[in-house]
Amino acid sequence: MLQKKLVITLTTAQGSRQYTLGQLARYLLALFLVMSICSFFVSNLLLVKTTDDLDDLEQGIDTLTSQYELTLGTQALQKGQLNQLSSTLQDLTLERDKLQEENLRIGELNETLDASLYGLEDLLGLPQSDEMTSNRADELTVLASQRLYFLSNLPNGLPIQGIRVSDRFGMRMHPVHKKRVRHNGLDFKANTGTPIYATADGVVEYSGYHKKSGFGNLIILQHGLGFKTYYAHMSKLKVKSGAFVSKGQLIGLSGNTGISTGPHLHYEVRHLFTPIDPEPFVAWNISNFDSLFSNVKGVKWASLRKMYPLNQALQTAQQ
C-alpha cells in the first residue's frame, strides 16, 4: 500500500536534494502556511487601519494646530484691543479731569468777571444790576470805553501830585501888581523841581520862555474838542513844541520863573481861547463823569451830545 508522503525538493547550485515529510509534518506545515497567510492579511489590515488612524490623527493635529494658532492670534488681538481700550480709558480719565479743572477755572473766572463787572458798575457810578447778563456786560463795556475816550482827550485830574491849592480861579488881588485882576487858573504851591504831568493826550503847541505874559517857562498843550491846558512858571521843560504827549506824561518841573512870588505851578484850562475854572476838570473822573457837563457852563455840551451821545449806553441800560 502506497503511503502518502510529502516530498520537498530543494535545488541549489550544488545540486538538488529531496526531503520527505510525514503526515503530521504536512499538517504542521499547512497550518503554518495558513497562519502565515492569515497573519499577513491581518497585519495588512491593521497596517491600513493604523495608517488611516495616523492620517486622521495628523489631520486632527493640523486642525488643533490651526485652532491653537487662531486662538493665539485672537488672544493677541484681544490683548491689543484691551491695551488700546485701557489707554483710551486713561486718556478719557485725564480729559475728564482736565474738563473738571477747566469747568472749575471757568466758574472762578465767571465769578471774577461778574465781580469785576459789578465793580465796574460801582466805578461808573451806576446802580448795581440784579443779574449780570451778557447784554448788560456789553453795555458796561461800551460805556466804560466811551468815558475813557473822553477822559483821555479832555483835561482831567491833577497836573501835580500831593500839592495844596494856594490860589483859585476868579477875581483876586495880584500879589505883585497889587491890583484886583482876574486869575484864570489854579495855583499849586510846590517846591522847585516837583514833576508836572499832562492832564490829557495832546500836542505841544508851545514850549519855552514866555516873557510877555509873565508866565516864565510855559507849556501849552492842545487837546481834543477845542480844549487847551497851560502850565506856567516851570523850572525845566521836558517836551518840545510839536511833540505828541499822552495823559500822565512828564512834561516839566515846577519852578519860580516869570512874574512869581515863590515856586508854584500855575495851571489853566481853556476852551476856544476862553479860560474856564479848572476845578471841575481836576475833580472829573470816570465815576462822576456826568458832573462835568452840568458843572461847566462855558461849553456848549448839547452840540457834543448830538455828535456823540454821552449817555447812550446808560440810557439803553436803564430802559
Side-chain angles (χ1 to χ4, degrees):
M1 185 175 177
L2 186 65
Q3 293 182 351
K4 292 181 182 180
K5 295 181 179 180
L6 177 64
V7 180
I8 298 174
T9 302
L10 295 176
T11 302
T12 65
Q14 296 176 353
S16 297
R17 289 185 181 183
Q18 292 182 346
Y19 298 93
T20 301
L21 298 176
Q23 187 175 5
L24 179 59
R26 290 197 306 270
Y27 287 151
L28 291 174
L29 180 60
L31 180 61
F32 174 76
L33 291 174
V34 169
M35 290 179 66
S36 297
I37 293 170
C38 291
S39 175
F40 174 77
F41 283 109
V42 170
S43 298
N44 283 341
L45 288 173
L46 291 174
L47 180 61
V48 170
K49 187 176 185 308
T50 302
T51 302
D52 292 339
D53 291 342
L54 287 174
D55 290 340
D56 293 340
L57 183 59
E58 288 179 355
Q59 290 179 359
I61 290 173
D62 292 339
T63 302
L64 289 174
T65 302
S66 299
Q67 291 177 347
Y68 177 71
E69 292 176 350
L70 180 61
T71 301
L72 289 178
T74 303
Q75 288 178 346
L77 178 62
Q78 290 176 345
K79 184 178 180 181
Q81 292 175 341
L82 287 173
N83 291 335
Q84 184 178 3
L85 180 60
S86 177
S87 177
T88 302
L89 288 174
Q90 290 178 355
D91 293 341
L92 288 174
T93 301
L94 291 174
E95 190 66 23
R96 182 200 62 190
D97 294 341
K98 288 181 180 179
L99 287 174
Q100 289 178 346
E101 292 177 0
E102 187 69 14
N103 287 335
L104 290 174
R105 189 178 68 85
I106 290 175
E108 292 174 354
L109 286 176
N110 286 336
E111 291 178 0
T112 302
L113 181 59
D114 287 345
S116 298
L117 290 173
Y118 284 123
L120 182 58
E121 283 185 328
D122 293 337
L123 181 63
L124 295 175
L126 304 176
Q128 194 172 88
S129 302
D130 295 333
E131 181 181 0
M132 187 55 64
T133 63
S134 58
N135 289 335
R136 180 57 170 168
D138 291 341
E139 292 166 357
L140 291 174
T141 302
V142 171
L143 186 58
S145 299
Q146 185 183 68
R147 292 189 178 187
L148 289 174
Y149 168 79
F150 281 98
L151 289 168
S152 295
N153 288 277
L154 273 63
N156 63 93
L158 288 166
I160 193 167
Q161 295 296 324
I163 306 300
R164 68 179 180 86
V165 175
S166 58
D167 212 344
R168 301 183 182 279
F169 181 86
M171 298 301 295
R172 69 162 187 176
M173 182 66 67
H174 195 282
V176 176
H177 299 302
K178 302 300 181 181
K179 60 179 180 180
R180 192 168 178 80
V181 295
R182 185 180 185 86
H183 187 234
N184 291 328
L186 291 176
D187 285 347
F188 295 90
K189 186 176 180 60
N191 295 328
T192 300
T194 304
I196 297 170
Y197 306 96
T199 54
D201 297 345
V203 61
V204 181
E205 176 184 308
Y206 181 85
S207 178
Y209 192 88
H210 202 271
K211 184 177 180 179
K212 183 178 180 180
S213 64
F215 284 153
N217 288 326
L218 172 68
I219 288 179
I220 302 175
L221 300 183
Q222 288 186 9
H223 307 291
L225 305 177
F227 286 90
K228 293 183 181 182
T229 50
Y230 285 60
Y231 309 80
H233 307 300
M234 303 170 74
S235 61
K236 288 186 179 180
L237 307 174
K238 296 292 187 178
V239 291
K240 296 182 179 181
S241 297
F244 291 97
V245 297
S246 58
K247 178 178 173 59
Q249 180 177 334
L250 177 68
I251 59 174
L253 304 177
S254 64
N256 191 32
T257 58
I259 302 175
S260 172
T261 58
H264 71 288
L265 169 66
H266 175 82
Y267 174 67
E268 291 187 12
V269 175
R270 299 190 183 189
H271 184 256
L272 300 178
F273 306 103
T274 301
I276 302 174
D277 187 357
E279 287 202 59
F281 291 88
V282 169
W284 189 39
N285 56 51
I286 196 170
S287 300
N288 61 6
F289 185 78
D290 291 333
S291 65
L292 185 73
F293 311 112
S294 57
N295 294 335
V296 177
K297 306 298 184 181
V299 180
K300 297 181 179 179
W301 300 114
S303 59
L304 181 60
R305 287 176 181 270
K306 293 177 182 178
M307 181 184 74
Y308 192 94
L310 296 178
N311 293 322
Q312 181 178 3
L314 177 60
Q315 292 172 356
T316 303
Q318 291 177 342
Q319 286 178 353

